[in-house]
Amino acid sequence: MREQIEEDYVFHRDFSKTYPIITHGKGIFLYDETGKRYMDACSGAVAANLGHGVEEIAEAMAFQAKKAAFVHTMRFETEVLFQLAEKIAKLAPHSLNKVYFTSGGSEANESAIKLARQFHKDAGRPEKHIVIGRWQSYHGNTFGSLSAGGDIKRRQVYTPNLINFSHVHSPNCKRCPYQREKEDCDFKKNWSCVRAVESVILELGPENISAFIAEPIVGSQLGAVSPPEVYFKEIRKICDQYNIVLIVDEVMTGFGRTGKDFGIQHFGISPDIMTFGKGVSAGYAPLAGMVVHDRMVESLIENSKGKFVHGYTYSGHPVSVAAGLSALTIYEREGIVNNVQVTGDYLKEQLLALKKHYPIIFDVRGEGLLVGIELAFDGEKGSPFPEKLHASERINSIAMGLGAVFYPGSGSINGYLGDHLLISPPLTVTTDEVDEMVRILENSLKIFIEELKEEETYEITK
């Protein structure tokens, strides 16, 4: 370990690992310095939505950098800022018309939490300060966004520093945290995942609750789990009843990833704030932000002389914004959402076919090209692999050896148990590339099962 620390100057994400050095990428593939090719079956971190080597975006960034690489948005603005804001607002749900830019999703959710707080304070409700989040959700790594999120493992190291926000369970009908069957739930009377939200509001006092934050489809922490169709409609009603700001986190699900412009459009409601990131620039530059409801902007103008008491040095960075403008132009011109719908359905079909032959696949779920498979050593009962086995990480490592990269996750059941893989390739992927991706996944599962048999760890049974 000491030798590795001394041989370079990089603060690595994990000092116990050695990482391949990527020299270039093209389409959905990355190439390392040895010439090995990796199929990017997870778009990096579900961000490289248009794949790699798109010269049009690089040229747009270079063009803007030559004109004006940086302006401070407290003093100046740029033409590309207005152009991209208009494109995003026109895609967003009804009455969300003002776009605030940040560098990453953590900053976007931090901004949303702070705006909700200022909104209430300006309106004469200064006691409203608590955010309600959901367990096994992820909203970022700043202290505010981490406090609102429910990723147990990421939170634990920093527990003494976290804000005292509250949490409810995320809906997950396949593994209901309330031990109920979906058929037994009546959403108007006794849906536990909905009623739990109202119960927490009443316990803490509605006068103290500022915002409720949720991903429309839970990505990295649950592996592409969608809520029941009416869930968000009921949450919208509750937030309206108790004057709570509804924040929908579209950092992973936005810009066509789920087969719609934004994930919340699957559920027919408009939030008060919608955050975004990742796909907005297709990974070509650090860019994220939030789209804000008109009534919140009107309150800001009326009560705070139009000033949001918040900001970042790189908010609205011209080169990043130029990347976003170019990416959104390509999404629109190339009909990317249509491709997601077609190839997403095809991917799920192939994975469901694979599930019939590999009992360690317990579930296949997701929308568009945000698809998850949940892993279990008993595919019928869903008995999870023990945490120490690191099943999803091992399968992904095998896949990397075979030339594909997936997005492994764990703790989807209770923060510790439960393994899954996200399969989320660039939105330009073809059905032929999907076939290759699934073949590599199948071979990875075969090798993993053989390893378990050799270790005599578990007997894999149907």
Side-chain angles (χ1 to χ4, degrees):
M1 179 70 74
R2 179 168 294 279
E3 290 178 0
Q4 184 176 346
I5 292 173
E6 292 176 349
E7 69 185 16
D8 65 51
Y9 299 92
V10 177
F11 195 114
H12 302 280
R13 289 286 292 267
D14 184 342
F15 281 97
S16 68
K17 293 182 179 179
T18 300
Y19 298 94
I21 304 298
I22 297 300
T23 59
H24 64 288
K26 190 65 178 175
I28 72 163
F29 297 99
L30 293 167
Y31 299 83
D32 71 16
E33 60 186 353
T34 70
K36 182 173 180 176
R37 189 186 76 166
Y38 300 85
M39 176 176 277
D40 189 357
C42 58
S43 304
V46 197
N49 284 8
L50 292 173
H52 307 279
V54 180
E55 293 182 4
E56 182 177 338
I57 301 176
E59 289 169 358
M61 295 171 68
F63 180 73
Q64 180 59 49
K66 291 175 183 178
K67 290 173 60 178
F70 178 85
V71 300
H72 187 195
T73 49
M74 283 288 287
R75 305 286 176 261
F76 304 102
E77 293 176 334
T78 55
E79 184 179 1
V80 288
L81 187 77
F82 286 85
Q83 292 173 337
L84 180 57
E86 181 179 359
K87 278 189 175 291
I88 294 171
K90 286 184 175 179
L91 295 175
H94 179 68
S95 295
L96 275 69
N97 289 307
K98 295 297 181 183
V99 183
Y100 182 96
F101 289 105
T102 68
S103 298
S106 296
E107 288 184 359
N109 286 318
E110 190 88 6
S111 300
I113 290 167
K114 291 177 75 173
L115 180 59
R117 165 63 183 158
Q118 183 175 338
F119 168 69
H120 289 304
K121 186 175 184 298
D122 286 349
R125 300 183 292 270
E127 63 279 0
K128 277 184 170 286
H129 66 286
I130 297 172
V131 175
I132 299 175
R134 305 190 304 184
W135 293 119
Q136 294 317 106
S137 63
Y138 179 68
H139 302 298
N141 268 324
T142 60
F143 277 128
S145 59
L146 188 64
S147 298
D151 182 340
I152 289 173
K153 292 178 182 177
R154 280 192 175 97
R155 288 169 55 93
Q156 282 184 339
V157 177
Y158 305 106
T159 296
N161 307 101
L162 297 182
I163 304 167
N164 189 26
F165 290 161
S166 192
H167 296 80
V168 296
H169 289 295
S170 297
N172 185 356
C173 294
K174 190 77 173 182
R175 292 190 181 276
C176 176
Y178 301 98
Q179 306 301 310
R180 302 188 66 177
E181 296 295 330
K182 185 176 180 180
E183 294 75 19
D184 297 333
C185 285
D186 179 343
F187 73 89
K188 291 183 178 179
K189 296 179 182 179
N190 63 359
W191 268 29
S192 300
C193 55
V194 172
R195 298 281 73 86
V197 177
E198 187 169 30
S199 295
V200 169
I201 292 169
L202 295 175
E203 288 168 7
L204 299 176
E207 70 278 7
N208 295 312
I209 310 301
S210 172
F212 178 80
I213 186 169
E215 299 160 275
I217 298 169
V218 182
S220 61
Q221 300 312 115
L222 285 183
V225 170
S226 298
E229 185 177 353
V230 297
Y231 173 81
F232 275 105
K233 290 180 180 177
E234 294 301 304
I235 294 298
R236 177 73 274 180
K237 291 177 186 176
I238 290 170
C239 288
D240 288 343
Q241 180 180 351
Y242 297 108
N243 204 352
I244 293 167
V245 172
L246 175 56
I247 303 169
V248 169
D249 178 349
E250 295 268 6
V251 172
M252 185 173 284
T253 51
F255 302 101
R257 172 55 64 181
T258 69
K260 293 185 180 291
D261 291 317
F262 293 100
I264 197 62
Q265 291 167 337
H266 289 279
F267 306 106
I269 65 111
S270 291
D272 300 304
I273 304 174
M274 184 178 73
T275 60
F276 61 86
K278 294 183 184 288
V280 65
S281 66
Y284 279 76
L287 185 64
M290 61 178 176
V291 198
V292 182
H293 196 285
D294 292 342
R295 72 184 182 94
M296 298 190 71
V297 175
E298 290 164 3
S299 174
L300 197 70
I301 294 170
E302 180 180 347
N303 298 307
S304 283
K305 299 181 180 179
K307 186 174 182 179
F308 180 25
V309 188
H310 176 67
Y312 299 106
T313 298
Y314 289 103
S315 292
H317 187 275
V319 178
S320 293
V321 170
L325 182 59
S326 181
L328 263 64
T329 299
I330 295 171
Y331 288 141
E332 182 179 3
R333 185 185 69 223
E334 302 297 331
I336 293 296
V337 171
N338 290 333
N339 188 63
V340 172
Q341 293 168 355
V342 172
T343 55
D345 287 345
Y346 184 74
L347 172 60
K348 284 184 77 172
E349 288 173 7
Q350 302 312 303
L351 292 173
L352 287 168
L354 197 64
K355 181 179 184 294
K356 295 177 181 179
H357 302 286
Y358 291 88
I360 67 169
I361 299 178
F362 173 60
D363 192 27
V364 176
R365 67 275 189 123
E367 298 289 342
L369 286 171
L370 184 69
V371 180
I373 61 170
E374 185 172 346
L375 305 161
F377 78 85
D378 184 324
E380 288 187 359
K381 296 180 180 178
S383 305
F385 289 106
E387 182 187 3
K388 65 182 180 181
L389 199 60
H390 305 295
S392 58
E393 286 283 354
R394 281 180 62 175
I395 292 170
N396 188 58
S397 293
I398 294 167
M400 286 186 68
L402 298 176
V405 188
F406 298 100
Y407 195 132
S410 61
S412 52
I413 296 175
N414 58 9
Y416 298 95
L417 294 174
D419 288 274
H420 61 264
L421 288 176
L422 271 183
I423 304 167
S424 49
L427 310 186
T428 55
V429 70
T430 66
T431 53
D432 285 344
E433 289 168 338
V434 167
D435 287 338
E436 182 180 351
M437 192 180 303
V438 174
R439 281 197 299 270
I440 293 175
L441 176 60
E442 179 177 11
N443 288 332
S444 302
L445 295 176
K446 283 181 183 178
I447 293 170
F448 177 67
I449 291 170
E450 289 303 314
E451 286 181 355
L452 293 188
K453 290 178 179 178
E454 290 175 6
E455 296 166 7
E456 298 183 350
T457 307
Y458 289 100
E459 181 183 352
I460 305 297
T461 59
K462 291 187 179 180

